[in-house]
Amino acid sequence: MDINVPPGTPCHSISDVEEAVKAWRRGGRSRTAAALEAGAGRWKEAGLSPTTLCCEPPCLPPDFTSQKLEAAGHTETVVKSQVLAGGRGMGKFKGGLQGGVHVCKTSEAVALARQMLGGTLVTKQTGAEGKPVDTLFLAEKMTFAREKYFAIVLDRKAGGPVVIACSEGGMSIEDLAESHPDKVVRVPVDIRTGMTRAEAERVVDALDCRGDREDAVALVSNLYRMFSEKDCTLVEVNPLAETSEGVLVAADAKIGFDDNAAFRQKDLFALRDEAQEDPREVAAARHDLNYIGLDGEIGCMVNGAGLAMATMDIIKLRGGTPANFLDVGGAATEGQVVEAFKILTADPRVKAILVNIFGGIMKCDVIAEGIVAAAREVGVPVPLVVRLEGTNVDAGKRILRESGMAITTADDLDDAADKAVAALSA
């Protein structure tokens, strides 16, 4: 599966950056970058195919050296913060450095890396907490003539993948779609048959590619193939750049993967950087709990996504703010309930906990035993309100009542929300 990308090196430490810079100084431009910019006429000379995955070591073989490239050398480097958030270029480090992506002289890359590695980058997508920058990506600065936008997303209305293409990129696609909707083309793809040549050609036409048409069709087809074979939920290439010779290069990209496919994409999921994720969400996933952290004060533990959403809504309606979405599922064990309480009580923002369980598959007495076990094992330093309804509800309430723990019971969801909100000011 061949896709053109700029040559680069991931760096986890200053020594990695220093080694990359030394390699570039010794070898000049990589043959990949040189070949991409030289155009289709130089592919055979470079020993490359028209579309190749460009992740080779930075080295320029003597038989490919030209006086022009030799004189230019590798003078500029792109230093990118590798964080799981968009808006890096416009972001700001808490240490004061503006921007999470920089183009600099190669001789200045190490000094710049010292300001970025280990720092916290705040962007419009990270929230005020920001994301830790533990890895930088050093890429060769390439010269592009035009920038385009390409993405594959899962579209609920279309019932499958949709390719979004625009001849203008390198900017917010949302803004462009609002100001020039006619320039944004959407091409639905039948997930059962895959992308056809006609669909790939329609995307190429929307991108207004000026180079070799067959190469462009091949690259678009390979991007869709990657989307399908790697169980992606999103492939966004912005910009999909074009050199002066018409060669398309995926200059920057954001790719999302389906968590449910982790069992067959083990190599990809082994690259997961948990430092970029909410530690509460990481802990919840280890115990098969569905958790999303919010910024409120009332911790929620519910069984079922719909009931969880309703619980958060009623908390908000009663004047409180939910601290999380936590769904223990329909078959949670006592151990999972204990782990759920550990996550909730570890959050310093949580001032009260509301447990709302409707027992169907999940039995109320099992939840009650888990709640009592958790309260005894980890302690519950904040008010705890529990509403149980459904299978074995009487047994569940009896377990709570006879536990001797400070647990407030509620008759229904309205009563539970009122008591949880009132507990904040108690």
Side-chain angles (χ1 to χ4, degrees):
M1 182 184 317
D2 297 328
I3 300 169
N4 299 329
V5 299
T9 304
C11 299
H12 307 285
S13 65
I14 296 300
S15 61
D16 288 347
V17 177
E18 291 172 338
E19 286 300 315
V21 170
K22 287 178 183 177
W24 280 331
R25 283 176 172 170
R26 286 194 303 266
R29 307 214 62 206
S30 76
R31 63 176 183 157
T32 298
L36 286 171
E37 290 185 0
R42 305 290 300 273
W43 288 114
K44 290 184 179 179
E45 184 180 350
L48 302 172
S49 61
T51 51
T52 182
L53 185 63
C54 307
C55 54
E56 59 181 89
C59 59
L60 187 62
D63 61 352
F64 185 66
T65 302
S66 69
Q67 289 184 347
K68 180 179 179 181
L69 293 175
E70 209 169 59
H74 188 106
T75 59
E76 287 188 302
T77 296
V78 183
V79 184
K80 299 183 179 183
S81 303
Q82 297 297 88
V83 297
L84 294 182
R88 294 173 299 170
M90 299 297 291
K92 185 176 182 179
F93 283 87
K94 287 191 174 182
L97 179 66
Q98 183 68 45
V101 178
H102 292 267
V103 178
C104 66
K105 293 180 180 179
T106 301
S107 59
E108 299 172 350
V110 174
L112 186 60
R114 292 185 190 279
Q115 299 181 65
M116 299 170 71
L117 267 178
T120 300
L121 180 65
V122 179
T123 78
K124 61 183 180 181
Q125 293 186 10
T126 65
E129 296 84 1
K131 293 284 186 182
V133 179
D134 299 320
T135 303
L136 298 175
F137 190 77
L138 268 63
E140 294 194 36
K141 171 67 168 62
M142 296 180 64
T143 301
F144 297 121
R146 292 165 291 277
E147 294 186 343
K148 307 171 187 302
Y149 179 90
F150 175 95
I152 308 174
V153 300
L154 289 174
D155 184 78
R156 186 180 298 274
K157 184 177 181 180
V162 172
V163 179
I164 302 174
C166 182
S167 58
E168 297 183 23
M171 63 188 78
S172 169
I173 190 64
E174 293 85 1
D175 294 340
L176 188 62
E178 184 176 349
S179 58
H180 300 285
D182 55 305
K183 293 185 178 181
V184 180
V185 177
R186 296 170 176 80
V187 181
V189 178
D190 188 329
I191 200 167
R192 295 164 295 184
T193 58
M195 177 176 282
T196 65
R197 180 178 177 85
E199 290 166 344
E201 289 180 338
R202 186 180 168 194
V203 173
V204 169
D205 290 338
L207 293 170
D208 189 22
C209 299
R210 304 182 188 181
D212 186 282
R213 185 174 180 81
E214 288 302 312
D215 289 349
V217 169
L219 184 136
V220 167
S221 298
N222 284 339
L223 283 168
Y224 180 82
R225 180 182 165 195
M226 178 184 72
F227 177 88
S228 177
E229 293 184 0
K230 299 303 180 182
D231 293 301
C232 298
T233 56
L234 167 71
V235 172
E236 183 182 44
V237 183
N238 189 23
L240 176 62
E242 191 174 40
T243 69
S244 59
E245 297 295 331
V247 179
L248 290 176
V249 181
D252 203 354
K254 180 188 298 183
I255 304 176
F257 302 94
D258 187 348
D259 290 338
N260 295 309
F263 72 97
R264 65 183 178 197
Q265 302 293 350
K266 294 180 180 178
D267 290 345
L268 284 173
F269 280 81
L271 301 173
R272 181 179 179 182
D273 183 3
E274 293 183 349
Q276 292 293 314
E277 303 176 48
D278 187 325
R280 300 168 300 178
E281 296 179 15
V282 173
R286 291 189 183 127
H287 299 283
D288 293 325
L289 301 170
N290 297 311
Y291 180 95
I292 298 174
L294 303 173
D295 56 3
E297 296 180 307
I298 299 178
C300 306
M301 188 177 79
V302 189
N303 67 321
L307 189 59
M309 296 297 290
T311 302
M312 292 191 293
D313 286 344
I314 198 70
I315 287 174
K316 192 73 175 177
L317 185 64
R318 290 295 192 266
T321 52
N324 62 271
F325 169 102
L326 175 55
D327 174 16
V328 298
T333 63
E334 181 179 318
Q336 286 176 302
V337 175
V338 171
E339 294 300 327
F341 264 88
K342 289 180 180 179
I343 295 170
L344 292 177
T345 56
D347 187 345
R349 286 179 293 196
V350 170
K351 307 303 180 185
I353 295 175
L354 170 56
V355 178
N356 184 24
I357 299 296
F358 184 83
I361 299 174
M362 168 60 66
K363 296 179 175 60
C364 292
D365 56 332
V366 173
I367 283 289
E369 289 171 352
I371 293 171
V372 172
R376 288 174 176 163
E377 180 177 339
V378 303
V380 182
V382 297
L384 172 60
V385 179
V386 179
R387 178 254 182 168
L388 300 177
E389 190 59 69
T391 305
N392 294 350
V393 62
D394 292 334
K397 289 182 177 180
R398 184 176 64 255
I399 291 170
L400 295 179
R401 186 171 58 251
E402 296 175 355
S403 68
M405 310 296 295
I407 299 173
T408 301
T409 58
D411 296 325
D412 53 42
L413 182 51
D414 285 325
D415 183 37
D418 285 335
K419 288 178 177 177
V421 172
L424 296 177
S425 56

